[in-house]
């Protein structure tokens, strides 16, 4: 029995994936912010810049991603880069608009860490499977997976650990530990569900 060849996603499938994936990530980040947690990746870098400067998260996230588009264009192609730019722009808007649509008065920090981490991980998987990302370090991680066959989840986990350690000045020990748990939940979802060769659509 031979497997059927991979088929390119239709435009409407990519659009729904960008909307759904970025919404999942935005919801996970809303839980993180309400519980005072930090995550890894480019999102984590934007969180650190937000805590250090007090500037809004969305514009910081958008600006931090700008230098990585050249790598995305060169290594991953125009289609991937444009989808990633769209996803980053959508997440920037959603993080600004979501507080007007959804108010989270309180959240149990442990639930925020695990639930938020899984939501962000699921959002990343949706984007990755439609040849998009949230820019920055995601681009580097995806390129390493395609070029060297490295597991995206495990590589992202190592990078995230470094970023989380840098958050120490703004977090107490409990919130830092929960942020580590959130990163583990997020990257566990990636490592289990996004393996090289498992999903062949473009």
């Amino acid at each position: 029995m031979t497997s059927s060849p991979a088929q390119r996603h239709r435009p409407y499938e990519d659009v729904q994936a960008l909307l759904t994936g970025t919404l999942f990530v935005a919801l996970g980040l809303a839980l993180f912010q309400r519980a005072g947690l930090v995550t890894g990746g480019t999102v984590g870098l934007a969180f650190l810049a937000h805590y250090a400067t007090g500037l809004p998260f969305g514009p910081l996230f958008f600006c931090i991603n700008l230098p990585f588009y050249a790598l995305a264009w060169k290594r991953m192609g125009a289609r991937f880069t444009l989808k990633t730019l769209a996803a980053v722009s959508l997440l920037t808007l959603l993080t600004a608009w979501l507080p007007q649509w959804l108010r989270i008065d309180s959240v149990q920090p442990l639930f925020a860490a695990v639930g938020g981490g899984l939501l962000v991980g699921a959002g990343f998987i949706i984007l990755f499977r439609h040849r998009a990302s949230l820019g920055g370090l995601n681009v580097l991680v995806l390129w390493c997976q395609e070029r060297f066959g490295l597991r995206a989840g495990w590589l992202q986990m190592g990078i995230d650990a470094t970023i989380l350690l840098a958050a120490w000045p703004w977090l107490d020990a409990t919130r830092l530990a929960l942020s580590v748990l959130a990163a583990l939940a997020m990257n566990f979802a990636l490592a289990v569900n996004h393996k090289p060769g498992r999903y062949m659509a473009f």
Side-chain angles (χ1 to χ4, degrees), residues 152-199:
W154 300 125
L155 181 58
Q156 186 79 49
M157 192 178 297
I159 295 172
D160 289 348
T162 303
I163 293 172
L164 289 171
L165 288 175
W168 178 261
W170 295 281
L171 300 179
D172 57 33
T174 300
R175 283 188 169 83
L176 182 60
L178 288 171
S179 296
V180 171
L181 179 61
L184 289 172
M186 177 181 70
N187 288 293
F188 178 75
L190 278 174
V192 170
N193 294 288
H194 190 72
K195 298 179 181 179
R198 172 169 286 183
Y199 191 83

Side-chain angles (χ1 to χ4, degrees), residues 62-144:
F62 186 85
C63 292
I64 288 172
N65 274 293
L66 292 176
F68 290 93
Y69 291 122
L71 173 64
W73 190 281
K74 181 178 180 180
R75 297 296 186 182
M76 309 295 287
R79 188 180 181 89
F80 175 88
T81 305
L82 293 175
K83 287 182 184 179
T84 295
L85 176 60
V88 169
S89 300
L90 278 170
L91 185 61
T92 299
L93 293 173
L94 282 172
T95 55
W97 293 342
L98 198 58
Q100 303 174 38
W101 303 336
L102 175 68
R103 291 188 177 182
I104 303 175
D105 293 328
S106 65
V107 61
Q108 210 283 336
L110 180 60
F111 173 80
V114 177
L118 293 176
L119 279 170
V120 173
F124 280 157
I125 291 166
I126 293 171
L127 295 173
F128 289 173
R129 288 184 172 180
H130 284 259
R131 296 286 294 167
S133 78
L134 285 174
L137 297 174
N138 286 160
V139 173
L140 181 62
V141 166
L142 279 178
W143 176 74
C144 288

Side-chain angles (χ1 to χ4, degrees), residues 32-46:
F32 290 164
Q33 286 185 303
R34 188 64 185 86
L37 307 181
V38 173
T39 186
T42 314
V43 173
L45 293 176

Side-chain angles (χ1 to χ4, degrees), residues 6-84:
Q7 297 183 6
R8 188 180 298 275
H9 289 118
R10 296 181 176 90
Y12 78 87
E13 293 174 327
D14 285 336
V15 170
Q16 70 80 28
L18 292 177
L19 291 171
T20 305
T22 53
L23 178 60
F24 276 30
V25 174
L27 289 169
L29 296 182
L31 293 177
F32 290 164
Q33 286 185 303
R34 188 64 185 86
L37 307 181
V38 173
T39 186
T42 314
V43 173
L45 293 176
F47 264 128
L48 292 181
H50 167 66
Y51 289 140
T53 66
L55 296 174
F57 170 86
L60 288 169
F61 175 69
F62 186 85
C63 292
I64 288 172
N65 274 293
L66 292 176
F68 290 93
Y69 291 122
L71 173 64
W73 190 281
K74 181 178 180 180
R75 297 296 186 182
M76 309 295 287
R79 188 180 181 89
F80 175 88
T81 305
L82 293 175
K83 287 182 184 179
T84 295

